[in-house]
Amino acid sequence: MTDVQVGKGRMSLTVQIMIAMGAGLVLGIILNLIGNDFINTHIVGGFFGMVGRMFVNALQMLVVPLVFFSLITGVAGIGDIRVLGRVGGKSFGLYMLTTATAIAVAIVIASIVAPGNGFVMEGIDTSGVTGSEAPSVWDTFANIVPRNPVAAFANGEMLQIIFYTIVLGIAALMLADRSKSFMEASEYMNELMMKIVEIVMHFAPIGVFCLITKTFAEQGIGLFLPVLAYVLVLVGALLLHLFGTLMLFLKLFSGLSPLIFMRKIRPAQIFAFSTASSNATIPVTLRSVTERMGVRNSVASFTVPFGATINMDGTAIMQGVATVFLANVYGVDLGLGGYLTVIGMAVLASIGTAGVPGVGMVMLTMVLGQVGLPIEGVAIILGVDRLMDMIRTAVNITGDAVVTTIVAKSENKIDMATYEDPMAGVMDDDLTIDPEAEERLAASVHAE
Ligand code: ASP
């Protein structure tokens, strides 16, 4: 049995979410066609916007505490600083490799298909688009060490949080027995956070429905036509990377079954698609790789948030295709040097930028500036970017999960029985509260 049916003939959460997506798509397009002021302001932007944002907020509210506590227990679980260094080195190398491959393949495909040749730039307002400076690689690395950890936590600076938490975990390991109660408390907090993830995920069908409805009501489908060639090449390259390159890497480097992987990563992909944020999806990605695939928390607690920040295969693909498209639109020949610059820039830019909605476009302006293409060009593809963002974010988090499982397999930190069990970690109605246990807990609290 797959995760399609759970319990007594009830639909699994994944199926419910998929239905919600389909319904949101239909309703969104209908609302887009009707589109009047009242609907746009109060229904689409108002009601659906509010519920959708509540859902994304609820996911985001979990990210920082979850990363902190799971990483603390992860570091303690590894117990050996050398292994930690090895996991870090392997995942960094693999993240760079997948991103560089992704963009190289995208550039090759886009160069062959050549979207944008003969494009007529009519009715596109290119004023008001401002470029962004590429952050220096040295600054990015220097800032990994937070001057003020509280500020890093408050702002959700993932690399800084990871760094600080690892140092804290290592120091706690050094204090050995003295850290016992701290570790126990962290383990408990980690479990508590995971429980909240489950609670939030139970509201996913509603949240996803509202997010998708809003997106399609605002975007419609007419936006695609002028840049259809760009959209088709981009989506093709994204799908090729998702089902081709990444699955090849998985099979080659770990020997694990891509079919099982794909089935188990689906909920996280849906969340990434609906929220367009790798960061907000961290709790769901973590849950998918640990509880559904059996990756030990000691590896996943590090590689997943690390990947959400530094690994953006889908975003790199977008930058590759967009650069080729805009070079064609403007009739500029970038040459091999130009394309190599694009690859280098995209890989480096992905390290320092967080996985939040729309950040890919900001990175694109850096890349365009670097190879001398007009930055106003982004206005041409801006209209379709939200939807492209959703797809590429799903690709981004799949890359994170692939590297996580490869590293875990190589370190023998994956439970194969869980990986192969189709029902492992499938969410059922396990959110019930046991009234007796509740009373016992209350009584014990009163007694103290
Ligand atoms: N939204 C993407 C992510 O969170 C980044 C981007 O391409 O804009 O991974």
Side-chain angles (χ1 to χ4, degrees):
M1 193 159 77
T2 65
D3 61 345
V4 173
Q5 296 255 298
V6 181
K8 306 163 213 74
R10 284 194 65 237
M11 254 187 273
S12 84
L13 196 65
T14 313
V15 176
Q16 289 178 32
I17 299 174
M18 283 163 112
I19 293 174
M21 283 175 92
L25 181 100
V26 174
L27 181 63
I29 292 175
I30 294 175
L31 288 177
N32 180 267
L33 293 177
I34 305 173
N36 59 37
D37 265 357
F38 179 80
I39 289 184
N40 292 345
T41 321
H42 294 291
I43 309 239
V44 175
F47 181 73
F48 286 114
M50 175 193 74
V51 179
R53 223 172 25 245
M54 273 179 167
F55 176 64
V56 179
N57 286 354
L59 280 173
Q60 277 171 333
M61 119 191 140
L62 289 162
V63 173
V64 172
L66 183 61
V67 168
F68 180 71
F69 291 115
S70 73
L71 197 50
I72 289 274
T73 48
V75 172
I78 283 195
D80 180 341
I81 296 169
R82 272 164 310 212
V83 178
L84 193 66
R86 227 174 35 225
V87 168
K90 278 185 198 172
S91 49
F92 184 75
L94 282 168
Y95 280 142
M96 295 301 103
L97 177 73
T98 53
T99 309
T101 317
I103 185 165
V105 172
I107 289 181
V108 171
I109 296 177
S111 301
I112 296 171
V113 183
N117 273 340
F119 183 85
V120 189
M121 212 182 310
E122 236 174 53
I124 289 170
D125 179 12
T126 58
S127 61
V129 179
T130 48
S132 250
E133 283 290 302
S136 120
V137 191
W138 306 116
D139 283 349
T140 303
F141 282 115
N143 288 336
I144 290 177
V145 184
R147 249 181 304 171
N148 178 351
V150 178
F153 278 81
N155 298 325
E157 308 274 4
M158 209 44 77
L159 289 183
Q160 302 189 343
I161 296 175
I162 292 175
F163 179 86
Y164 182 76
T165 310
I166 288 179
V167 173
L168 200 80
I170 291 173
L173 276 181
M174 289 171 159
L175 288 178
D177 288 347
R178 298 270 319 273
S179 307
K180 208 162 159 274
S181 28
F182 173 65
M183 288 303 180
E184 274 170 10
S186 299
E187 254 166 51
Y188 169 73
M189 286 303 289
N190 188 30
E191 249 177 70
L192 198 66
M193 292 300 140
M194 275 298 184
K195 199 75 209 165
I196 307 182
V197 174
E198 282 180 25
I199 297 175
V200 173
M201 282 177 78
H202 266 76
F203 291 97
I206 303 171
V208 167
F209 172 70
C210 291
L211 286 173
I212 301 284
T213 305
K214 177 172 184 276
T215 307
F216 281 91
E218 284 175 352
Q219 306 276 318
I221 31 179
L223 277 173
F224 288 122
L225 292 177
V227 284
L228 196 60
Y230 164 76
V231 170
L232 290 180
V233 175
L234 178 51
V235 173
L238 286 169
L239 294 181
L240 179 74
H241 188 70
L242 186 65
F243 293 106
T245 317
L246 281 177
M247 292 307 108
L248 199 69
F249 276 146
L250 179 73
K251 189 79 200 160
L252 228 55
F253 290 140
S254 73
L256 294 170
S257 151
L259 274 180
I260 297 182
F261 177 91
M262 269 302 178
R263 199 161 56 224
K264 298 198 167 194
I265 196 63
R266 201 166 47 201
Q269 288 173 333
I270 297 176
F271 274 73
F273 180 84
S274 315
T275 60
S277 167
S278 304
N279 262 31
T281 312
I282 289 175
V284 190
T285 317
L286 256 180
R287 196 184 178 283
S288 299
V289 293
T290 52
E291 294 186 19
R292 298 226 55 204
M293 298 189 204
V295 173
R296 300 256 186 270
N297 181 51
S298 55
V299 170
S301 65
F302 169 69
T303 53
V304 169
F306 190 44
T309 315
I310 73 158
N311 182 53
M312 296 185 190
D313 298 355
T315 306
I317 291 172
M318 179 278 283
Q319 293 175 64
V321 176
T323 317
V324 175
F325 174 72
L326 294 175
N328 287 341
V329 166
Y330 287 104
V332 176
D333 183 13
L334 288 180
L336 188 62
Y339 287 127
L340 290 178
T341 310
V342 175
I343 295 179
M345 280 290 299
V347 173
L348 287 179
S350 67
I351 299 179
T353 33
V356 293
V359 75
M361 269 289 138
V362 179
M363 287 155 71
L364 180 65
T365 62
M366 297 174 199
V367 174
L368 294 179
Q370 197 72 26
V371 292
L373 281 168
I375 288 161
E376 302 79 65
V378 298
I380 303 172
I381 49 177
L382 211 53
V384 290
D385 196 60
R386 174 69 192 183
L387 284 178
M388 298 299 105
D389 195 4
M390 293 159 82
I391 306 178
R392 68 181 182 250
T393 307
V395 175
N396 288 349
I397 66 100
T398 309
D400 303 343
V402 164
V403 169
T404 296
T405 36
I406 292 175
V407 173
K409 184 79 194 338
S410 76
E411 290 290 332
N412 219 353
K413 293 263 193 282
I414 184 166
D415 176 27
M416 287 310 292
T418 308
Y419 188 83
E420 276 153 17
D421 174 7
M423 294 311 286
V426 169
M427 274 206 290
D428 205 345
D429 270 342
D430 55 355
L431 286 183
T432 45
I433 299 173
D434 172 2
E436 273 177 33
E438 213 182 342
E439 269 170 33
R440 270 201 312 277
L441 180 65
S444 72
V445 172
H446 280 307
E448 271 169 21

